[in-house]
Amino acid sequence: MTGDRSLVYIAIFAAIIGALGVVPGLTLPLGGGVPITLQSLGIMLAGVVLGPVRGAAAVLLFLVLVAVGIPLLPGGRGGPGVFLGPSAGFLIGFPIAAFACGVVMRLLRHSAVFPASLAAAIIGGIGVLYSFGIPGLAVFADLSMQKAAFLSLVYLPGDLIKAFGVAVIAEAISRGRPDALMSRL
């Protein structure tokens, strides 16, 4: 794939992640102040579709836009201050999670798309993301790791639904245009 096309795909996925932030987040009293958003679906999808490097690059581009103040996070949040709040660990984990999703897809490139992308989304988009999000929540919400992990359980059902959605989307993409799943090339 040419560099120009890669840049276009990276920009498109950064825009998709940003657009998913327009959907209002839902902050639950049990979640420690971290909103439930659709953006993690975009993070998973970026890695599953674009692969590890391009997926992480799309997420990094999105985070740069957020850091400079563009209000792309739910509730119209943006600016450097978002990296010092309860969701900071999740934000920092976004590009690593997308990278991990892409790596898993690449490792499972000879498997059927649906189970491979579901595994990628669960391992990278939930497992890896929570490994950053939970410690961030503990630090910025002044909670013990156990309490932060317990509070994060409220997000698990929704994230599993998002992972399933990513697998459905990836399967649809592979049927319509298999070469669009760059993570499997």
Side-chain angles (χ1 to χ4, degrees):
M1 168 167 299
T2 66
D4 291 342
R5 287 186 69 189
S6 286
L7 291 175
V8 169
Y9 287 120
I10 289 166
I12 288 170
F13 270 85
I16 289 169
I17 297 164
L20 290 170
V22 173
V23 178
L26 174 64
T27 303
L28 301 175
L30 298 175
V34 178
I36 296 172
T37 73
L38 289 178
Q39 287 182 315
S40 56
L41 182 141
I43 303 306
M44 295 174 198
L45 200 55
V48 165
V49 173
L50 298 180
V53 175
R54 289 183 197 98
V59 177
L60 285 170
L61 174 58
F62 165 76
L63 290 176
V64 166
L65 296 173
V66 167
V68 298
I70 299 175
L72 296 174
L73 296 174
R77 297 176 306 128
V82 299
F83 295 96
L84 298 172
S87 58
F90 289 98
L91 294 173
I92 292 165
F94 275 1
I96 299 146
F99 186 86
C101 288
V103 167
V104 172
M105 278 299 284
R106 186 139 307 144
L107 290 171
L108 299 176
R109 70 179 161 267
H110 300 296
S111 301
V113 171
F114 187 88
S117 54
L118 182 61
I122 290 171
I123 293 167
I126 297 174
V128 170
L129 187 57
Y130 281 39
S131 72
F132 285 86
I134 291 171
L137 179 59
V139 169
F140 290 106
D142 195 27
L143 302 169
S144 70
M145 284 291 286
Q146 284 181 312
K147 177 83 171 178
F150 178 74
L151 291 176
S152 295
L153 289 176
V154 73
Y155 303 109
L156 193 55
D159 285 338
L160 289 168
I161 291 168
K162 290 177 219 174
F164 183 81
V166 166
V168 168
I169 293 167
E171 177 69 24
I173 290 170
S174 75
R175 286 184 181 185
R177 193 158 167 223
D179 62 321
L181 282 179
M182 293 176 256
S183 61
R184 296 175 68 86
L185 300 177

